[in-house]
Amino acid sequence: MTTPVSNLRINGDRLWDSLMDMAKIGPGVAGGNNRQTLTDEDAEGRALFQQWCENADCSMGLDQMGNMFARREGTDPDALPVYVGSHLDTQPTGGKYDGILGVLGGLEILRTLNDMDIKTKHPIVATNWTNEEGTRFAPAMLASGVFGGVHTQEWAYDREDAEGKKFGDELARIGWQGDEEVGARKMHAFFELHIEQGPILEAEGKDIGVVTHGQGLSWTEVTITGRDSHTGSTPMLMRKNAGLGMARVLEAVEQIALSHAPHAVGAAGHIDIYPNSRNVIPGKAVFTVDFRSPDLSVIKDMENKLREVASAIAGQMGLGITFEKTGGFDPVEFDEGCVTAVRNAAERMGYSHMNLISGAGHDACWINGVAPTAMVMCPCVGGLSHNEAEDISKEWATAGADVLMQAVVETAEIVE
Amino acid sequence: MTTPVSNLRINGDRLWDSLMDMAKIGPGVAGGNNRQTLTDEDAEGRALFQQWCENADCSMGLDQMGNMFARREGTDPDALPVYVGSHLDTQPTGGKYDGILGVLGGLEILRTLNDMDIKTKHPIVATNWTNEEGTRFAPAMLASGVFGGVHTQEWAYDREDAEGKKFGDELARIGWQGDEEVGARKMHAFFELHIEQGPILEAEGKDIGVVTHGQGLSWTEVTITGRDSHTGSTPMLMRKNAGLGMARVLEAVEQIALSHAPHAVGAAGHIDIYPNSRNVIPGKAVFTVDFRSPDLSVIKDMENKLREVASAIAGQMGLGITFEKTGGFDPVEFDEGCVTAVRNAAERMGYSHMNLISGAGHDACWINGVAPTAMVMCPCVGGLSHNEAEDISKEWATAGADVLMQAVVETAEIVE
């Protein structure tokens, strides 16, 4: 392996211009993007990416999940490619960078290597994974999940959006269903650049997050059952207030997560109250507790503690309570060699860096199961993401793509 | 005033049959009723009530708010009438008795007096107030509020339902807009029989609630503002979790109400969380705190304490918080003479009774401002109301209407 020289850098202006051009497709209502998966806008974004890749003399592969693979040849016909990418789809009120930076960062590597006429032993493949966001067709990371053997393609095709349209039908409709068997490609390694979607790098003043682990996730849907009754005519001591029971469980969730500081987190983002009327004491509260940790045993501990503490709260208040595990994945430990390549690249190029644990799921988490994988993160303003106001600076994007490029090129091995 | 003999009783079977006949109009999906105000079903229910009143030789008056007045003449042409009634409209998933028992209990008085050929000095007027429920056109008790001078008729006509239809237009459409000026009628007294809509009478094993006061109400809409952020990638100590802030305020609401035991109550029935997504820490929580007490100073104390404690909670958590008073009415003290008439009637007829404070608003609360007023309550199963499963026994209905009748007839003065 030949280490790239530290002054081998991507073209930050060109990367930024491409980000801005892509953001014109499926603009949001508040300066961000609405380019949800398998919409006409998604098709338009894919076509633009393909055009750019072809202009960079790359050939485009397309698999049966719509995953796109733009290949720059290597010198060794037997060497497996190094893959690099992320996703072009956005949340309904998403930003311009979540996912897109990783795909166009991959494209920028191909362009830079062309500029400099640098050859690598391993091919390099810039990748766009279909439906990372999962807001139109749940779950998130659907196509990388099929690629990584987590889901079957048949199951993925059957996922329905809110209007009852199926993933498979919509993929065919927009014209991006390929012939290639999903997951048949073998990878030498996979790298993903992504905005942090959290506040740590900005707060710590670091350019680069070297992602060592992905947090595991556990979703528990809690249903507390009380009795609907009139807010005026029911004495305090005769109430079965499911909303108050929920409030107490939410406090317990906070305390459980804090008891596993600093890496464990817990919160409820989704809460439904029934009948949700100002003069009716809530008879039912349904909410999903989201616990995360890089340590599987901590996740199990938090799940168990939630059931124990919340059951006691409900018991004391005369409320019914049930728990259903509705989602989750195990923590991910990224490949040591790939992680080291990212850290060394940041160090070599003079970018400040720190280790990070990814709190969000990413395509890299599923690909890590089938290939050596690592992630590079750059800061985002205020940690804001999944929001049209999501923002990064050109300098942050450039630093992230520089480090991505050096790690990828080192792994793909420059041929002198 | 001549006290009626204790064996003057209404016909409980006839009252029950009328309740069951009325319940056939606008049946619910689960055994109750959906006969919302100013719908075709409301018109059909009104027509049946009018037919019954005319069959009882009463004349029907109708005012510009659609309030119905079925008059049985008295012997003294100068004596003001005693009014008795409630409302025929229901919640969208309402019961067969909430309101209806009070109207048909009034009708049953007229029928009973006819049966026995009893004359009273004062006329007796059985009344149906329009739109007590307020679920289609907010607020509740709209037409009795106009009658009592709380709202202007112009404002009431402009109230809109969820489809943008105006109260005034819908009243005209169903054909029940009268010519009579609203509130022009002067009353000698007003009595209302209603199911308790709470659990106290059943729990205490009492037949009759003698309603001495109506609780005052204060609605405060609380908006807590944090920062939407990813449940995975935001460290616990960098969160601004509006949902957790809400949870802590809900606990404070409980403690504030309990600190004014036994008559004060407090809860939040309506809660909205934004963006309400399982993997986004809530950036905003909006909820309405409902405080009630028969003592105005206690209501003011609770409002002030809420603002103080919730502001402190928000301050500690780095959250924004605003408060808006969105509704309320002062406590009501019913007329001592009318209340005594109700209590004496229960005592005389051998029904067990206790004083009650009405936790819910009722038409009687507004009429109390323009005429001496009292209420009679009967138990309902499990305190359940605003629910299709709302239930009472024929015996409870009979006892309530018996007491109502004796109080009304004593006040209207039997002519020997």
Side-chain angles (χ1 to χ4, degrees):
Chain A
M1 221 186 274
T2 310
T3 304
V5 292
S6 66
N7 59 357
L8 174 60
R9 298 192 179 241
I10 60 96
N11 182 332
D13 289 334
R14 180 172 57 196
L15 171 61
W16 194 257
D17 288 346
S18 293
L19 283 165
M20 294 305 109
D21 284 343
M22 183 59 76
K24 290 174 188 160
I25 300 173
V29 293
N33 275 93
N34 178 4
R35 197 171 56 243
Q36 291 180 76
T37 195
L38 309 194
T39 58
D40 293 345
E41 291 76 18
D42 183 19
E44 196 180 339
R46 289 164 174 268
L48 179 61
F49 175 60
Q50 174 157 342
Q51 185 60 55
W52 281 337
C53 292
E54 288 172 355
N55 292 350
D57 296 325
C58 295
S59 60
M60 184 61 76
L62 184 68
D63 74 13
Q64 293 169 22
M65 283 296 289
N67 296 317
M68 298 171 69
F69 303 100
R71 177 184 178 110
R72 183 175 190 268
E73 289 301 339
T75 58
D76 181 349
D78 296 329
L80 290 174
V82 176
Y83 285 74
V84 54
S86 189
H87 60 96
L88 290 173
D89 70 316
T90 75
Q91 294 271 326
T93 54
K96 297 191 278 284
Y97 311 103
D98 169 3
I100 300 94
L101 176 64
V103 178
L104 301 187
L107 169 65
E108 180 54 36
I109 294 173
L110 308 180
R111 289 168 165 174
T112 297
L113 296 180
N114 287 348
D115 291 344
M116 313 253 178
D117 200 20
I118 291 173
K119 292 183 172 48
T120 56
K121 175 183 165 189
H122 297 262
I124 298 175
V125 178
T127 303
N128 170 38
W129 299 108
T130 301
N131 187 28
E132 193 273 348
E133 293 293 358
T135 42
R136 184 175 173 203
F137 300 99
M141 299 132 53
L142 183 68
S144 56
V146 175
F147 192 98
V150 181
H151 314 300
T152 67
Q153 180 170 310
E154 186 182 2
W155 183 82
Y157 273 17
D158 270 350
R159 296 307 89 204
E160 289 185 1
D161 69 8
E163 297 175 7
K165 294 177 180 166
K166 286 185 190 295
F167 178 96
D169 297 337
E170 285 292 282
L171 179 60
R173 182 188 69 78
I174 67 161
W176 285 90
Q177 184 179 36
D179 294 326
E180 211 185 289
E181 182 190 344
V182 180
R185 287 166 177 264
K186 300 304 167 204
M187 297 178 172
H188 182 57
F190 177 68
F191 290 88
E192 179 170 4
L193 167 63
H194 207 282
I195 65 170
E196 182 195 342
Q197 303 184 282
I200 300 173
L201 291 175
E202 188 185 34
E204 300 283 334
K206 301 291 187 188
D207 304 314
I208 296 294
V210 179
V211 184
T212 60
H213 295 78
Q215 282 184 324
L217 164 70
S218 162
W219 275 350
T220 302
E221 187 177 273
V222 183
T223 302
I224 297 182
T225 313
R227 191 173 54 214
D228 301 3
S229 58
H230 196 288
T231 49
S233 50
T234 316
M236 293 300 284
L237 300 181
M238 297 177 81
R239 296 176 173 213
K240 295 188 188 296
N241 183 343
L244 182 66
M246 176 192 71
R248 291 175 177 169
V249 173
L250 294 181
E251 181 68 61
V253 166
E254 176 84 0
Q255 299 309 324
I256 290 168
L258 287 174
S259 75
H260 292 281
H263 290 311
V265 293
H270 188 265
I271 292 172
D272 284 328
I273 290 290
Y274 301 90
N276 212 23
S277 172
R278 285 177 293 196
N279 58 358
V280 183
I281 294 163
K284 190 165 75 164
V286 182
F287 55 102
T288 298
V289 175
D290 173 307
F291 279 132
R292 305 193 193 211
S293 165
D295 180 339
L296 186 59
S297 71
V298 168
I299 291 179
K300 298 290 177 201
D301 276 357
M302 293 195 292
E303 285 177 349
N304 292 338
K305 191 77 177 168
L306 170 67
R307 288 174 185 239
E308 178 194 321
V309 173
S311 296
I313 289 169
Q316 285 157 11
M317 298 177 70
L319 301 167
I321 192 163
T322 61
F323 305 91
E324 185 186 354
K325 181 152 182 179
T326 54
F329 45 79
D330 288 348
V332 169
E333 184 171 357
F334 287 113
D335 177 73
E336 194 180 339
C338 292
V339 170
T340 301
V342 170
R343 186 182 298 112
N344 288 350
E347 190 66 31
R348 190 163 59 238
M349 301 180 85
Y351 291 122
S352 60
H353 60 88
M354 64 183 287
N355 288 350
L356 273 187
I357 292 161
S358 173
H362 292 289
D363 294 310
C365 297
W366 288 148
I367 302 306
N368 189 58
V370 293
T373 296
M375 291 189 74
V376 183
M377 283 188 175
C378 72
C380 59
V381 175
L384 199 65
S385 184
H386 288 194
N387 190 309
E388 294 203 41
E390 175 189 282
D391 199 17
I392 66 175
S393 72
K394 191 195 289 189
E395 291 67 33
W396 290 345
T398 301
D402 268 344
V403 170
L404 178 75
M405 182 270 292
Q406 287 249 345
V408 165
V409 170
E410 180 175 13
T411 307
E413 299 178 40
I414 290 181
V415 177
E416 302 291 340
Chain B
M1 220 185 273
T2 309
T3 303
V5 292
S6 67
N7 59 357
L8 173 60
R9 300 196 176 238
I10 60 98
N11 182 332
D13 288 334
R14 181 171 55 194
L15 171 62
W16 195 257
D17 288 347
S18 293
L19 285 165
M20 294 305 109
D21 284 343
M22 183 58 76
K24 290 174 187 160
I25 300 173
V29 294
N33 274 95
N34 178 4
R35 195 171 57 243
Q36 292 180 76
T37 195
L38 308 193
T39 58
D40 293 345
E41 291 76 19
D42 183 19
E44 195 180 339
R46 288 164 175 269
L48 179 61
F49 175 59
Q50 174 158 342
Q51 186 60 55
W52 282 335
C53 293
E54 289 172 355
N55 292 350
D57 295 325
C58 296
S59 61
M60 183 63 75
L62 183 67
D63 74 12
Q64 292 168 24
M65 284 295 290
N67 297 316
M68 299 173 69
F69 303 101
R71 178 183 177 112
R72 183 175 190 269
E73 290 301 339
T75 57
D76 180 348
D78 296 327
L80 291 175
V82 175
Y83 285 74
V84 55
S86 187
H87 60 94
L88 290 173
D89 70 316
T90 75
Q91 293 273 324
T93 54
K96 296 192 279 284
Y97 311 103
D98 169 3
I100 300 94
L101 176 63
V103 178
L104 301 187
L107 169 65
E108 180 54 35
I109 294 172
L110 308 179
R111 289 170 165 172
T112 296
L113 296 180
N114 287 349
D115 291 344
M116 313 254 178
D117 199 20
I118 292 173
K119 293 182 172 47
T120 56
K121 174 182 165 191
H122 297 264
I124 298 174
V125 179
T127 303
N128 170 36
W129 299 107
T130 300
N131 188 28
E132 193 273 347
E133 293 292 357
T135 43
R136 185 176 173 203
F137 299 98
M141 297 131 57
L142 184 68
S144 55
V146 175
F147 192 97
V150 180
H151 314 300
T152 67
Q153 180 170 309
E154 186 183 1
W155 182 82
Y157 273 17
D158 269 351
R159 297 308 89 204
E160 288 186 359
D161 69 7
E163 296 175 6
K165 293 177 180 166
K166 287 185 190 295
F167 177 95
D169 297 337
E170 284 293 283
L171 179 60
R173 183 189 69 77
I174 67 162
W176 285 90
Q177 183 179 37
D179 295 325
E180 209 184 290
E181 182 189 344
V182 180
R185 289 167 176 264
K186 301 304 166 204
M187 298 179 171
H188 182 57
F190 177 67
F191 290 88
E192 179 170 4
L193 167 63
H194 206 283
I195 64 169
E196 181 194 344
Q197 304 184 281
I200 300 172
L201 292 174
E202 189 185 34
E204 299 285 332
K206 301 291 186 189
D207 302 317
I208 295 294
V210 179
V211 184
T212 59
H213 295 78
Q215 281 184 324
L217 163 70
S218 161
W219 275 350
T220 302
E221 187 177 272
V222 183
T223 301
I224 297 182
T225 312
R227 192 173 54 215
D228 301 3
S229 58
H230 195 287
T231 49
S233 49
T234 315
M236 292 301 284
L237 300 180
M238 298 179 81
R239 296 177 173 212
K240 293 186 189 300
N241 184 343
L244 182 64
M246 177 193 71
R248 290 175 178 169
V249 173
L250 294 181
E251 180 68 60
V253 166
E254 176 83 0
Q255 299 309 324
I256 290 168
L258 287 174
S259 74
H260 292 281
H263 290 311
V265 294
H270 187 263
I271 291 172
D272 284 327
I273 290 290
Y274 302 90
N276 212 22
S277 172
R278 285 177 292 197
N279 59 358
V280 183
I281 294 163
K284 189 164 75 165
V286 181
F287 54 101
T288 297
V289 175
D290 173 308
F291 279 131
R292 305 192 193 212
S293 166
D295 181 338
L296 186 58
S297 71
V298 168
I299 291 180
K300 297 292 178 198
D301 276 357
M302 293 195 292
E303 285 177 351
N304 292 336
K305 192 75 178 169
L306 170 66
R307 287 174 186 238
E308 177 194 322
V309 174
S311 296
I313 289 169
Q316 285 158 11
M317 298 175 74
L319 301 168
I321 192 163
T322 60
F323 305 91
E324 184 185 356
K325 181 150 182 182
T326 54
F329 46 78
D330 289 347
V332 169
E333 183 171 357
F334 287 113
D335 178 74
E336 193 180 337
C338 292
V339 170
T340 301
V342 170
R343 186 183 297 112
N344 288 350
E347 190 67 30
R348 189 162 60 237
M349 302 179 85
Y351 291 121
S352 60
H353 60 88
M354 65 183 287
N355 288 352
L356 272 189
I357 293 163
S358 173
H362 292 290
D363 293 310
C365 297
W366 289 148
I367 302 307
N368 188 59
V370 293
T373 296
M375 291 189 73
V376 183
M377 283 188 175
C378 72
C380 60
V381 175
L384 199 64
S385 185
H386 289 194
N387 189 311
E388 294 203 40
E390 175 189 281
D391 199 17
I392 65 174
S393 72
K394 189 195 289 190
E395 289 67 34
W396 291 344
T398 301
D402 268 344
V403 170
L404 178 74
M405 183 269 292
Q406 288 249 345
V408 165
V409 170
E410 180 174 13
T411 306
E413 299 179 42
I414 290 181
V415 177
E416 300 293 339

